[in-house]
Every structure is written in C-alpha cells, then in structure tokens.
Amino acid sequence: MVFSSMAFLFAFLMISILCYFAVPARCRSGRNLVLLGCSLFFYFFGEPLGIFLMLASICGNYFAARLIARRRRRLFLILALCFNLGILGVFKYADFVLENCNALFGLSLPMTGIVMPIGISFFTFQGLSYVLDVWKGTVPVQKNLLHIAAYISMYPQLVAGPIVRYETVAAELLDRRETLTDAAEGARRFLYGLAKKMLLSNAMGEIASAVFAEDPAALAAPVAWVGALAYTFHIFFDFSGYSDMAIGLGRIFGFHFLENFNYPYIARSVTEFWRRWHISLSSWFRDYVYIPLGGSRRGLPRQLFNIAVVWALTGLWHGAAWNFVLWGVLFAGLLILEKCFLLRWLERLPRAVGHLYTLFFVILGWVLFNTTSLAHTAGYLAALFRLPEHSRDLGQAVYYLRQYLPEWILCVLFSLPVAPWIRGKLSGRRYYEPLVTLGAAALFLLSLLSVVSSSFNPFIYFRF
C-alpha cells in the first residue's frame, strides 16, 4: 500500500487516525497499541508473508537488547549482529552470492528464489541501531515489547524510511502530546510530500523510464542526458516526498522524526552532497560503521580505508547488483579524492565550479543506480558522450523538454531552497497562514487528480 493511493488516503489513513484518537490521551499504551496494530496491518497488506520476518526481527532485537543490558557480554552483541545481518544476507543477498559463485567458479548452484520483503533494509537497520545503542549505553533498554514493536514497525517510516533511531522517539513512545498545531503542521507536510511525488517525481519518472528503456546503442547524447536529468529529479522528489509524508504522519501521531533531506542539489562537493542527501542513512553508516572502524582518528591511510569500506557497504545496502557496487565505488573514490586534496582546490574556485562538478558526478551516479546490468550501464554512459548524428536526435530531447516544461521548471525551483526563502519573507504576516492552508488544499486537489488519472506511480525506495 503506497501513500499515494486511494486505498491509503481515503481508507487506511482515515481509519487509523480515527482509531488512534478514539483512545484517550492519558492511555499512552492504548494509543501505542492502536498504532502497532495499524502498522502491522499496513505491512501485512503489502507483505502477507514478510510480516513474520518483521515480527521475528522485532522479537530478536528486543530479547538481544535485554540480554545485553543484563550481562553486557560481547557474545550477545555478536549474536545480535549475526541475527540482523543474517536476515539481510538470506533475504536480500543470497541469490546475488549464488549467481556470482556460479559465474566465477563454473558451478550450477540453484537459486533460492526468495522474494525480498519490502522495506527489509529499513526495519533491520532500525532494530540493529537499537541493539547497538543499548550496547554503547546511549539509550536505556526498553522492557516493554509493545514499545519496541511500535518503534520498529511504525508505518509512517516502515517501508521506505527515514531510518529513525530509537533515541529519537524513545521519550515520545512513553510520553508525548498530540496537539492541533502538530497535526496541522503534519498534515501540511504530508500534502507537500504527496505533491512532490505525484506532480513532479512521477512526471520525471515517465521521461526517465522511457529513455532508460531504449537500446543504449541507438541513444543519442541529448536524449541520454535528458533521461539522466529526469531520473535525477525523479529520485529526489520521490524519496524526499516520501520522507516529507513520513515526517508529516509522524507529527500527526506526536512523533518528531529528524529531517532526511536538506536541498542536496545545491551542494558544492560530493562530501557536502552526502551530508544533505538521505541524512538518516549517511549518519547511520557514520555512527555504526565509520566511527567504530576508527573514523579519522588513526591517520589518513586508515581513514581512506574506512571511507572505502563504508561506501562499498552503502552501495550493497541499496541493492544486490554490481551496478550498486560500482555506484558505491564511484562515490568512495570521489570522497577519498576530496579528502586528500580536491576539497582544498574546490574552495579556491568559483562556487559555480563546485556545483557543476558535484552535479556532474551525482548525475553519473544516478545512471549507475538506475541501469539494470553492467552492459546497460556501459552502454548508457557511452551514449552520454556520443555526438548526435541526426537532427531528430536533438528533436527527441527537445520534445521531452517542451512536453514537460512546467514540471522541469518546478523541479529546478524546488530543488533550490525557494520554499524557506518564501516562508522567511511572508511568515508573520496576517495572510500567511490562510495562504499556506489554501496552497496545501490546492496541492492536495491536484495530487488527487493525478492519483486518479495516472497509472504510473512507483516508489523507488520500496525495493530497498
């Protein structure tokens, strides 16, 4: 069940909110129980069998944390790591490993045929972060299984993030206040995310899907660049829109999730880009992999090694395929170069040079991210730098630009911090709140028309 569907908007969401607020505010456990029940149903609706894996993840992490808190033996931490990484290994990477063993050693091992449950990487990382934080002593162990289950399964961020740390919501699980102000802010945030998804991301996704589906050998450079740019906007507005919706829904239920995006396409370096993009994942790898490996404390060679390890794992986290590994290697290489000397050079150059450099490699990275095989990747990258041979090659690119001209303009504008600038100019004025409310209502109507009329409505990060 996707957030941008009629079933969610006019059935599940309304029923879950009504059931939740029907429980008195003083009965916190009762509201948590309603939220847990709604979340389990939400996941069961999309993954009838996967629900058992998620329940196993909840129980496994709950009991592992209890054992760690009681005895603090490294054995229990190792078992918890093996449990969580084993879940990912079996359900996400088993066939990838078998396929590559067959190719490398000439074997004929049968594939498992296991279908990866939706959102497995997100809920596994949340459970793992909870256990690791209990081990480090940064959060107290939670003795109530209901609270841990509600934390890991909370449907606003269950299947596509952001990755919420237990420390972010620990206090609010036990004692939070749902207010009309938070509910109004949350509803508006949800509607902004829905508009990003339906009005911008889907339009760019249609272009990207059409271009990337073509034979790369017959693809002209202008068309290939239009397709790559379209995907660049598609993935940003898809994922940031989903994050906005998740943060907004959390606010309605009294939770304050951390921000997951901060206008990444204005970055002047790849280092800055990854501080602004998918912040919850970047900070997760920083705190649970990079720093435990030694971070920058053991000299430059070890720091560069740690960066390489983190980005190899980040690539694999996104998918069991070699194009994701190459994507991770690309950014590891760029981050290492920036750490060694490139950042110092960029600081001396005009700001526009840093922006262009960053966007160029980010767009190339999204090509790696969106291609389906190494041959497809190589062919598409070659097409980006192929000279056009016919005028019709340029004409096809112009067609995509003209046909979706309003969406292209809006994508550029809202990739920049235009909204905060407008808010800063108008906030506090008498007409500001009514104007914001009317704007949100208009966006909802336009989004609803798109939901009803469009058959193209994917969520990219559901597959992770």
Side-chain angles (χ1 to χ4, degrees), residues 36-198:
L36 172 61
C38 291
S39 298
L40 294 177
F41 176 81
F42 176 85
Y43 195 75
F44 176 79
F45 187 88
E47 286 286 353
L49 296 178
I51 189 71
F52 297 105
L53 180 64
M54 189 179 69
L55 291 172
S57 176
I58 290 168
C59 293
N61 285 299
Y62 169 77
F63 288 112
R66 292 291 303 272
L67 288 170
I68 288 170
R70 183 178 300 173
R71 300 193 180 182
R72 283 198 62 79
R73 290 184 181 175
R74 192 174 294 272
L75 173 63
F76 297 139
L77 176 64
I78 293 171
L79 289 174
L81 291 172
C82 291
F83 171 71
N84 283 286
L85 297 178
I87 288 174
L88 286 177
V90 171
F91 288 90
K92 189 168 183 177
Y93 301 107
D95 280 349
F96 177 66
V97 173
L98 291 172
E99 181 183 344
N100 282 281
C101 285
N102 288 342
L104 284 172
F105 305 112
L107 304 176
S108 55
L109 299 172
M111 298 295 104
T112 66
I114 294 173
V115 178
M116 185 182 73
I118 293 172
I120 184 173
S121 297
F122 288 96
F123 69 72
T124 302
F125 267 34
Q126 289 200 179
L128 188 54
S129 70
Y130 166 64
V131 170
L132 290 169
D133 285 345
V134 170
W135 168 261
K136 292 188 296 184
T138 55
V139 300
V141 68
Q142 176 53 251
K143 296 180 180 180
N144 189 327
L145 177 60
L146 166 65
H147 292 153
I148 293 301
Y151 155 65
I152 292 178
S153 69
M154 200 179 301
Y155 80 81
Q157 45 75 54
L158 173 59
V159 293
I163 300 170
V164 177
R165 308 275 188 94
Y166 181 69
E167 63 182 351
T168 303
V169 297
E172 291 177 334
L173 279 167
L174 302 176
D175 182 24
R176 63 185 180 275
R177 290 184 61 211
E178 301 89 346
T179 66
L180 285 175
T181 300
D182 270 353
E185 285 291 333
R188 283 202 290 259
R189 187 67 179 270
F190 179 86
L191 295 178
Y192 295 154
L194 182 65
K196 279 185 180 181
K197 166 62 183 168
M198 297 308 303

Side-chain angles (χ1 to χ4, degrees), residues 203-275:
M204 293 295 105
E206 289 178 357
I207 299 171
S209 296
V211 174
F212 276 83
E214 294 188 29
D215 179 5
L219 202 59
V223 182
W225 277 104
V226 166
L229 285 168
Y231 188 77
T232 298
F233 287 128
H234 174 45
I235 192 170
F236 171 62
F237 287 107
D238 183 277
F239 194 23
S240 69
Y242 189 95
S243 293
D244 285 341
M245 287 188 274
I247 291 168
L249 288 174
R251 184 71 65 87
I252 291 171
F253 294 118
F255 294 96
H256 295 77
F257 302 152
L258 300 180
E259 295 296 331
N260 207 27
F261 286 87
N262 184 22
Y263 298 99
Y265 291 157
I266 68 170
R268 296 173 57 200
S269 67
V270 172
T271 301
E272 183 186 356
F273 176 82
W274 285 110
R275 292 193 188 114

Side-chain angles (χ1 to χ4, degrees), residues 426-437:
L426 300 181
S427 183
R429 302 198 178 185
R430 191 172 54 229
Y431 54 80
Y432 176 70
E433 285 298 326
L435 187 64
V436 168
T437 302

